[in-house]
Every structure is written in structure tokens, then in C-alpha cells.
Amino acid sequence: MNTLKVYDCFISSPGDCQDEREICISVIDDINNQLAQHLGIQFKTLMWENDVLPDMGRNGQKIIDEKIENTNYDIFIGIMKNRFGQPTPKAGSGTEHEFNNAIERKTTSKNSSPRILFFFGTEKVDLNSPDIENIIAQNKKVQDFKKRLSSNGLYINFSSKQDFSEILKQKLELFAKEITPLSKPEEKIQEVDTILKRLNEDLNQSLKTYNESSPIWIDPIISAKREVPENPTKNGEYRISIDSIINKPSNIVIKAPSEFGLTSLAHHLKLNAWKAGKTFLYIDTKETKKHKIVKDIIKESAEFYNTEPLNLDCILLDSVCFEANGTMQMLKNVCEEFKDLPIIIFNTQGNNFFLKSDEDDKVEIKRDFTSYYLLPLPQNDVRKIVNSYTKIKPFEEDRDILLNKVTKDLETLNMHRTAKNCISVLRASSKIGNEYNPINRTKLLEIILTTIFEEYEIPTYHDKKPDVKDVSFVLGYLCELLVKRENFEFSEEYFKNELKEFCQKNYIELDLSYLLNALIDNSIIGRNSFSEIFYFKNSYWVFYFIAQRMNMDKTFLNSIYDDKKYVDFPEVIEFYTGIDRNKEDALTVLLKDLKETLETVRTKVKISDNLNPYKSIDWTPDISILEQEEAKIGENVISSGLPDEVKDKYEDKNYNQIRPYNQVINSVIRDYSFLLLMRQLSATSRALRNSDFVNAQSKKEVLDNIVLSWNEITKLLIVLSPLLADKGKVAFDGASFHLDDESFRFDDPEEKRLAVLTAVPSNVVKFFKDDLFSTKMGPLLIDRAKNESNSLLKHELMLLLVSERPKYWNKVIDNYIVSLDKNSFFLSDVYHTLKFNKDYKATEIEEKRIIELLAKKCRAKHIFKNNNPNPGLIRRLAKMDKDSKY
């Protein structure tokens, strides 16, 4: 590695130039990270606040002088605006004193050092300042000093902080050109700028998602550990920084599924390595062959960097698939030819690669590689993407609401939280506009598919692009075949032969080779290079095309109903009913099946419908725990300064990021009636949610049976709760439940049992609310909640309203609070649910105010034993809270 020649820059200014002093640091850092490295030099700032050790009992300027005398600085940067500064024993101000010192050095030195740059700000004096007399006096001294300075050379005026930054950078770059040890520095600078431009273009091109780049770069999470944490809260435990890879490149394999942005990461490393004075060469292995790769590396070194491989710092090999024919020989050739060069391999994996054994990590070549892995994004990074995207394309929704939609769509579609997937969902949702809500995930995928075929390049011999409806029709038929044979992998021959015959029968003209390539290039279909087997990379595309086929072919639709195939994948019903939101046939069939399964479960379980242990439980808020949690939240907010981070950490804690790695479509064993009930409940809830235009009476009947199914699940969980508390997990008739240990840390077994029991109602709501709720479902759910006679079911429906807050929800909850007993568990549970939603879920100020008011009403009712507390009592409660925490 070449040694850099260091040049010290002494920064001198009065106290009103703090912003400009910080700009000096920023500008010098930028130059060091870009041009200076390539010119063989480096600038270093010298500032009294950072480099001078304080001392007591001595003159401050004398302390600074002693430090400066021991430092032969090369550049003096003086700055003044309206303040001249305080006098010293030798000059009118510290800055003047330091300037005089610099002039004396310059006149006595052999090489006319230091180079002196002096900047004067031209900002106007604030005439309305209460200290105007002192400001004018100081400004006059500055102007007098400026006149004296003109006899010693040129000074530089600046009009703003931005102007100062640009001028300083220009002057320092000129200085860098003069002092560089390189011959022909102008040519080197032009070469550096040309390469930098190309590197930026390469990165921007790689960031494009369906011809739209991410508006913000998100540093990927590179982990040293193979295992993916169940939720993103632990993603950072084994994180490897990008800077560490650039500063000390070594032999690494970075692994991830295709949509994680390995190519973008490679170009990001290449760009930032160049800024740091290093040369990382990028090779896309898809564009070369095993016998050509060495020649391609030599050629790319010369053409891209105008250098030889000997001068490279690292080789980046992208698009590596170890199973592909010739890959290992290709790697062997590179390793043997460039023995002393570190190699970073970007290994695109299948979705379930994390589930394989460690044997897969071994690269059979004579070089040791360290394996790293890209992990999905935590919600805070998804938030950054959403916030950045909405600056480019405005949405009507609040950003928090939009963030919730994006994360829910990714979760429901079983898509990884990656920048590419976030942008895909955001772009499609922007085209949908006001209709963008949960019922339109069908529309979401339709927009994504349409965008792909609108913008995917067509071969020159084609005169038009394929019709997207033809594509959906044909792929729907393919998925019908896959469902019937219960095997979702296929060969290229199977794809082309089956679809060719289908197209001919239906008089459809479609280039199947083009179609397959488009699906592969846009990550809809994946290919196992070793066995040449194809598969849908994400199961939601299978479900989407099955739904399209159901809509187009009644025979296939009836077979799905008859075989209850929708139980295996409830998403199919969601996508099918979302096509036109008027699929009464779906509600009719699913209602019939749900009733049958419900009756079977009742016969098997035999738990009374009147089971309700909560009637005997009083208001039991554990105040010490509440205080601990509130303090914990407060600390997080203070330390981060961002309340959003607290919300995001909670969402991450409840998000399973491992699930998208498994895209296998499994069949549910029909003998397990309770598991069958839960799957049918999910499918039926989604069908109801997407049935805006179906007969109202039919919808009410379906909701009635959904609520009855909730009741069966609630009763079973009540009965199983002691076992769940004691053992942490429990299974019944195909359904399994486990306890979140972090939420139930109790030393006393009885306390833990009580906590698990009281958590049942809110957890049942949590299980099914996303399947059931949409804004348009609000009136139906409110009507059902108001008229429910079973107190436990009524309570769960009320918790659903608090959680999702449809129009007029607060009036219903207000009346519910009034109806409850002053000491009841139900009142306490409503209070806790309101508080939770205010802290973690509510986004708008007015919404938070309403929730807080209702929560206070719950407490006021309990404390003052008043059935319907008025505003006066609630204010009295607030006054009590100020004096002592309840």
C-alpha cells in the first residue's frame, strides 16, 4: 500500500465561525476520501478545540501558540465574519495573532510555507439585535483588518455556508494538484473523475427496480453468522461493517437470495473502495466463461482502471452459483492466476439456503473463504425507504399508515424485507392510488406484473409486447397443472410443451421462450442451474395465478372448492375475491365448509359456550410492571431521540423474518379438524374482507360464523392456558401454540398462569384481525360488536375496534367503557389495549388524543367508582397523576 504524504491545515477563526469550522472538517474529509487518496496525499485538520490540551492558570492563546509552534502546519485557513475576537498580549484578537504568526513563518521558511488562505463572510449585520453596538464595533475591526490584509495578498469573500464549502473545496483541490508527487496530475484527476462517474453510473443502474432506482441507499446487514434470527431485533449481533471489508479486503463469500441486492452491494463496495483510494475490480460471472475469466479480468483492469491486475486491491465476482457447471473451475482459475489478490464472491442462493447444512459453505478450491450472509431489513430501514420514496411520489396517506401497509403487504405476500421488494410494493401502490388497501393485494400484483411486461425489453424481431392478460391466462393454466400434480417444480421442456399446446387450443400467440426469460430476469421464476429445474421463487405468484385461473375456468374453480384446496393456501381466496370484490360463490362455499368444521370441532372439544373465567377476575393492573415498561420506553426515546425507533423495535419483535425463506407449498392434513378450522377461518375472513359488493345478509351470516369460530379457539386457549404457561408450548389436534418468553417472565407460576390466561382475548384478536379487517369492514364489525350478547366475544370485537379504529370506533368504545363494571378485568384490558395502541400504533395527533382520553376514562371510572366519568373527573385524575404516579 502506498504511503500518503500528510499536509496539516490549521483552522483559525473567532467564535462566530463555528459552522464554518465544521465545514472545514467536512470538506477535508470529502477530499481525503476521494481525490487526495489518488494523488498520494492527505490533509489533516489542526484545531485548538480538538488538538490542544487545556491547562489552568495560563493564558489560553499562549497554550495554543505552544502547540502550534511544535506543528509545522502546511496550510493556514483563516475565517472571519462579523466578529473580530478578544485581544491578546500580541494582537487585537486571537485570529489576528495566529495570522501574524503564519505570515512570520512564511517569510522565514525556505519553501514559502505555510500556504495562507483567508476567508471573509459577507453576511449582513442584524440591526435588530439587542447587542447591536458591540456587533458594529466588532464588524468595524473586521473591516479594518480586511484592509490591512489586502497589502499582504489576496483574500476570499463568501456569501453563505454553501458558498464557503464550495470555494474551500476548490482551493484545496488546486493546492492538492500543486503538491502531489505524481507527474501529470491533471491527467490523473481527469482519470479519477471519469472512473468515479462510471462507478456511480454502475451503482445507479444496479439499484433500478423495474426501471426505478431506490431513492436512498440502505446499508445492507452483512452477518458473520449463518443462522437468521427469528425477528430483526437481533440482526446486528454479528454485523460486519462495509468499511471493514473495504479497509481490509479478504477472501469472502457473501450469500443471499436474489432480491437482496448482492449486485448493488458489489457496485457499492467498488465505488466506496475507489473513494478510499483502493481499486476493486467487478466481474459479472454470467457474462464470462471459465476459460475466459482471467483474460476478462486483465482486459477490464486496463479498460476500466487503466492499470494492471497487479495494482488491484480486490476482485469482486458477482452472480456466482456454485452448482452451475464450470463455476468451480472458473473460481479455481482466478485463484491460481491472482494468488495474492483477495477475492469477494457474491453468491446468489435459493430462498431456503439458510435451511441447508454447513457442508454447503465449503468451496472446493485451494483458498480459505469466510462466509457472510445478507439479512432482511429491520422496520426502521423500511421506514427510511418509505419516507424517502414519498418525497419523490406523494401519497395521500400519512407515512406511518403507508409504512404499515407496506410491511403488512410484504408479510402477507411472504416477501423478504428488502429494498427491492419495498420499492416494488411502493411503486405499484402509487399507481393504484386511493384504492390501495388490503383488499387490493390482487391489484398490487397485477400492477407489478403489468409493469414488468411494459418495461422489459423485447427482442428486435418482435413487433409488440405480450398482452399481460394473455400472460396471466397462460400462467394460470400452468399453475393449475402444478396444483393437480402436487409438484411445483418443472423443466423448460414441460413449460414449453404444455403451454404451447394450451396456447394453440385457445388461439393465443405467445413467444414462450421470451416469456420464460422475462419471468426469470424479473425474479418471478427461479432456476436450479445444476439440475435445470424451474420453480416460482415466491409462492404468492403461484397463488395469484391460481386465483386468475379460478376466475377464468369454472371447472377448476369447483375443483378447488371440492378438494378444499384453499385450506392449503388461504391466499388464493384472498386473490380470487380481490379480483372484483363480488365473489358470492366464495362466501357460499366457505360458509358451508366452515359450519361443518365448526360442528366437528364442537363435538370433539365439548367446551361450554358459557365458559368465561374473566367474569371473576378484577381490575388487576400491575403498577410496578407498568412503571417499568413506561420508564423503559422513555429511556429508548431519550437515547435515540426518535420515538419511531421504539415502535419499529416492537414491530420487529413480532415479525418472523425466517418465514419468507421457506416458499414450499404444503398440504394441511384434513384429519386435524382444529387446524382445519383455523385455516378455514383465515380463508373465510379474507373472502369476507374482500366482498364489498356481495349481498349484505350473506356477509352478516359469514361474520356470525367467523365470530363463533373465534369463540371455539378462545375456549380452547383458555383451557390450555395453564399447560401453556407451565411448558411454554402446547399442541392440540394439529394446531400448536407457543409462549413468547420475553413477554411472560414471572418467577411465581400462579402469576404466570394468570398472565397467560388474561392475554388470551387480545391474542385471538391478534391472530385473525389482519385477515378480517379493512376500512370498508368497519360498519359491519361495529354492528356485530354492538349487538353481540356473549360478553367474551363482545370484548374481543371491541379490542379489534380499538386496534384498527374504523370510523366512529371511539363512540362505540366510549359506550362499551360505560357499560363495563368498574372493577372488571374487561375494563382493565380495554385500558391496557388503548395505552398500547397510543404508544405503538397511533400516528396522528388527534387520534392519540382520543385514545388517551378514553384510557383516562377507564382509569377514572375505576378509581372514582363513577359509572360515566365526566371531563371534570378526568381532569382531577390528571392532577393526581402530577402529584404521584398511579
Side-chain angles (χ1 to χ4, degrees), residues 330 343 357 525 659 672 744:
M330 181 187 290
I343 297 171
S357 70
I525 282 180
R659 196 170 71 91
Y672 290 139
F744 294 93

Side-chain angles (χ1 to χ4, degrees), residues 696-715:
Q697 195 56 43
S698 298
K699 292 198 288 185
K700 287 184 70 173
E701 187 179 1
V702 172
L703 181 58
D704 287 344
N705 282 271
I706 286 173
V707 172
L708 290 174
S709 300
W710 279 26
N711 195 34
E712 289 304 313
I713 292 166
T714 302
K715 289 189 299 181

Side-chain angles (χ1 to χ4, degrees), residues 157 165 196 278 316 341 362 396 448 520 525 539 562 670 703 744 808 881:
N157 289 325
S165 176
L196 189 62
K278 290 186 168 61
L316 310 177
L341 271 179
K362 294 180 180 177
E396 289 187 8
I448 291 175
I520 292 170
I525 282 180
S539 55
D562 293 342
R670 302 297 195 266
L703 181 58
F744 294 93
Y808 306 125
D881 285 342

Side-chain angles (χ1 to χ4, degrees), residues 6 9 17 104 175 299 433 514 824:
V6 178
C9 303
C17 297
E104 184 179 347
F175 182 73
K299 181 182 177 183
Y514 165 80
S824 71

Side-chain angles (χ1 to χ4, degrees), residues 328-346:
M328 299 312 298
Q329 185 61 49
M330 181 187 290
L331 294 177
K332 183 179 179 183
N333 293 345
V334 176
C335 290
E336 289 181 351
E337 182 67 27
F338 308 104
K339 289 184 173 65
D340 299 324
L341 271 179
I343 297 171
I344 300 178
I345 295 171
F346 297 85

Side-chain angles (χ1 to χ4, degrees), residues 195-447:
I195 292 173
L196 189 62
K197 182 180 178 182
R198 288 179 62 186
L199 291 170
N200 275 301
E201 288 173 353
D202 286 350
L203 176 59
N204 290 334
Q205 185 63 33
S206 72
L207 286 171
K208 283 192 174 182
T209 298
Y210 306 134
N211 287 344
E212 184 163 345
S213 61
S214 171
I216 183 174
W217 170 259
I218 301 292
D219 277 346
I221 299 173
I222 306 172
S223 175
K225 192 171 183 181
R226 181 188 192 95
E227 289 76 17
V228 181
E230 184 169 326
N231 60 64
T233 57
K234 298 181 179 179
N235 279 2
E237 289 184 355
Y238 300 92
R239 187 167 189 172
I240 305 296
S241 73
I242 289 177
D243 286 345
S244 70
I245 295 175
I246 292 173
N247 293 334
K248 292 185 178 180
S250 60
N251 298 309
I252 299 168
V253 181
I254 303 179
K255 304 183 176 188
S258 60
E259 65 267 35
F260 274 60
L262 280 170
T263 297
S264 297
L265 173 58
H267 288 296
H268 180 78
L269 283 171
K270 183 177 67 168
L271 169 63
N272 285 278
W274 181 252
K275 289 180 178 179
K278 290 186 168 61
T279 307
F280 283 20
L281 184 79
Y282 173 88
I283 294 289
D284 187 346
T285 60
K286 289 189 300 186
E287 304 299 325
T288 185
K289 297 186 182 298
K290 60 184 178 183
H291 62 277
K292 284 182 57 186
I293 190 163
V294 171
K295 290 181 180 178
D296 285 345
I297 289 173
I298 296 170
K299 181 182 177 183
E300 187 72 3
S301 299
E303 292 182 355
F304 199 103
Y305 290 113
N306 192 28
T307 191
E308 298 177 357
L310 181 67
N311 298 320
L312 298 176
D313 293 288
C314 186
I315 296 174
L316 310 177
L317 298 179
D318 192 19
S319 308
V320 173
C321 176
F322 294 129
E323 296 83 5
N325 291 331
T327 295
M328 299 312 298
Q329 185 61 49
M330 181 187 290
L331 294 177
K332 183 179 179 183
N333 293 345
V334 176
C335 290
E336 289 181 351
E337 182 67 27
F338 308 104
K339 289 184 173 65
D340 299 324
L341 271 179
I343 297 171
I344 300 178
I345 295 171
F346 297 85
N347 178 213
T348 303
Q349 297 273 351
N351 253 332
N352 58 353
F353 81 94
F354 281 92
L355 307 178
K356 296 180 181 178
S357 70
D358 288 338
E359 292 300 314
D360 298 319
D361 281 347
K362 294 180 180 177
V363 180
E364 299 296 330
I365 48 180
K366 293 180 181 178
R367 191 183 288 211
D368 292 330
F369 282 81
T370 302
S371 292
Y372 292 156
Y373 309 90
L374 292 193
L375 298 184
L377 300 178
Q379 178 155 305
N380 192 247
D381 281 344
V382 178
R383 182 187 293 276
K384 291 175 187 174
I385 294 171
V386 170
N387 290 349
S388 180
Y389 195 88
T390 53
K391 292 177 183 176
I392 300 171
K393 292 191 176 180
F395 288 76
E396 289 187 8
E397 294 96 337
D398 175 271
R399 285 179 176 175
D400 281 291
I401 294 173
L402 186 60
L403 172 68
N404 183 58
K405 288 179 177 179
V406 171
T407 53
K408 284 299 178 189
D409 283 342
L410 293 175
E411 186 173 0
T412 300
L413 296 173
N414 208 19
M415 298 169 73
H416 290 287
R417 279 187 186 173
T418 65
K420 178 177 180 179
N421 288 342
C422 290
I423 295 297
S424 298
V425 170
L426 281 166
R427 188 179 190 203
S429 65
S430 70
K431 291 190 175 186
I432 296 172
N434 291 335
E435 293 183 38
Y436 181 43
N437 54 55
I439 62 172
N440 263 309
R441 291 193 181 106
T442 311
K443 187 74 173 175
L444 187 75
L445 292 182
E446 180 186 322
I447 292 292

